[in-house]
Structures are given as C-alpha cells and as structure tokens.
Amino acid sequence: MTGEEVRQTLAKNIKKYRAQKGFSQAQLAEEADISLPFMSSIEQSSKWPYPDTLAQIATALEIEVSDLFTTQDGEAK
C-alpha cells in the first residue's frame, strides 16, 4: 500500500465514522479541537495529521485510532 492509499483510507474512514455519528465536518473539527480547514484537508487526503491529532479525531468519533486505517477487508494498513 502506498502512502497515498493510506491517506485515502484515512480520509474515507473519517468520513464514514463522521457520517455514522451524524457530525458535520465543522462539528467533528470542533470536537477534535482542530480547525475546519485542516479537517477538510485531511478528508480530501491532501494533509496528513500528527499522531496526537489522529488520537483527537478518534476520541471525538468514539473509535480506536486503528479503526481509521482499517480497509474494507477488515485489515489494518
């Protein structure tokens, strides 16, 4: 898996879990204590968050950080 594929998996999973929680991007950004433009950039796979930021996003979504990198076949990348 390439770095771009990892970023795309992260972006897709954030969108999926955000939708499951019923959060807008703005709500998730606020809950995770990051800026809306940065959240948008992460979801567009154009920016890569620091590990602490990943933890904040996962906490806001009430999931594990590893869930953000799980592919459809259930394998963490």
Side-chain angles (χ1 to χ4, degrees), residues 7 48 51 55 65 70 74:
R7 283 191 298 275
W48 185 253
V65 172
T70 303

Side-chain angles (χ1 to χ4, degrees), residues 8 10-11 20 32 34 45 47-48 56 59 61-62 65 67:
Q8 289 175 0
L10 173 65
Q20 286 176 359
I34 61 176
S45 69
K47 297 267 177 144
W48 185 253
Q56 289 169 229
T59 298
L61 293 171
E62 299 178 328
V65 172
D67 294 334

Side-chain angles (χ1 to χ4, degrees), residues 10-77:
L10 173 65
K12 181 178 175 183
N13 284 336
I14 289 174
K15 289 176 195 175
K16 175 181 81 171
Y17 288 114
R18 179 171 60 78
Q20 286 176 359
K21 292 284 289 180
F23 285 173
S24 67
Q25 270 189 354
Q27 288 171 309
L28 179 55
E30 184 175 332
E31 289 290 322
D33 196 30
I34 61 176
S35 71
L36 178 55
F38 188 49
M39 178 59 69
S40 179
S41 294
I42 295 169
E43 284 196 7
Q44 293 171 10
S45 69
S46 62
K47 297 267 177 144
W48 185 253
Y50 285 111
D52 288 345
T53 305
L54 287 171
Q56 289 169 229
I57 292 169
T59 298
L61 293 171
E62 299 178 328
I63 60 172
E64 297 295 323
V65 172
S66 60
D67 294 334
L68 296 172
F69 297 97
T70 303
T71 60
Q72 284 187 349
D73 61 13
E75 189 175 313
K77 298 292 178 183

Side-chain angles (χ1 to χ4, degrees), residues 1-9 45 48:
M1 181 173 258
T2 67
E4 180 58 30
E5 290 169 329
V6 172
R7 283 191 298 275
Q8 289 175 0
T9 298
S45 69
W48 185 253

